[in-house]
Amino acid sequence: GTLPARYHALALDRFNSCVLVAYGAGVAGFDPTLAVVLAWAESKWNPHAISGGGARGLLQVHDGVHAAEEERLRASVSRLAAGLVLLRRLLDRYPARLALCRYNIGVICTADYVSACDDADMQDDGVCGAWRWAGGVEDHARRARRGIR
């Protein structure tokens, strides 16, 4: 049989979100693949996603993590644009994995801190979880750029 119309509408909504993220990343001047993979990891391309901690939208912009940057951007741009601007700024300052980790949990993700993430005592730590998550996002983006499934 065929799928109900609501599934087609949902698929179209998610596809449009994916295209929007890719386009926005291109306009912002960085790799659209990384932004699309980040949006999938953050929200499964659901523009209406809200996390348990209150992060919202495709890139899960969260007042607590992105407060300083978001305050400056809130009046003039959408959450997607705010997320892309924040990610662009982080990518300009840090290597990709550290930028993604900082995007995910904020300033507590530092190079000195994450260097200890291989330590057995640190495996359940929130920063180390974000560091591993960022590595997964970076790896998926790298593989997608090469066309590897």
Side-chain angles (χ1 to χ4, degrees):
T2 60
L3 292 173
R6 71 176 183 260
Y7 292 111
H8 292 286
L10 179 62
L12 182 60
D13 186 47
R14 300 290 165 87
F15 175 79
N16 288 337
S17 295
C18 177
V19 170
L20 183 64
V21 169
Y23 176 77
V27 169
F30 65 95
D31 180 9
T33 307
L34 183 63
V36 166
V37 171
L38 176 62
W40 176 257
E42 290 283 5
S43 67
K44 303 297 185 261
W45 300 329
N46 178 358
H48 311 291
I50 302 173
S51 75
R56 298 175 177 269
L58 291 165
L59 295 177
Q60 292 293 281
V61 174
H62 191 286
D63 293 342
V65 174
H66 304 109
E69 295 294 340
E70 189 179 355
E71 256 328 291
R72 290 194 288 262
L73 298 168
R74 189 183 309 235
S76 61
V77 297
S78 70
R79 284 195 182 279
L80 175 60
L84 290 170
V85 167
L86 294 172
L87 183 57
R88 170 76 271 163
R89 288 179 182 167
L90 290 168
L91 288 168
D92 285 345
R93 295 177 72 187
Y94 306 106
R97 189 171 181 189
L98 183 56
L100 289 165
C101 185
R102 289 188 75 129
Y103 184 92
N104 187 250
I105 61 169
V107 297
I108 62 171
C109 187
T110 65
D112 291 340
Y113 192 104
V114 298
S115 66
C117 286
D118 291 331
D119 185 342
D121 293 337
M122 301 285 285
Q123 292 301 311
D124 293 329
D125 180 86
V127 174
C128 293
W131 181 247
R132 285 189 295 278
W133 172 90
V137 169
E138 186 180 30
D139 183 54
H140 286 301
R142 188 179 314 108
R143 294 175 66 192
R145 282 190 294 273
R146 289 186 302 201
I148 299 170
R149 305 264 185 258

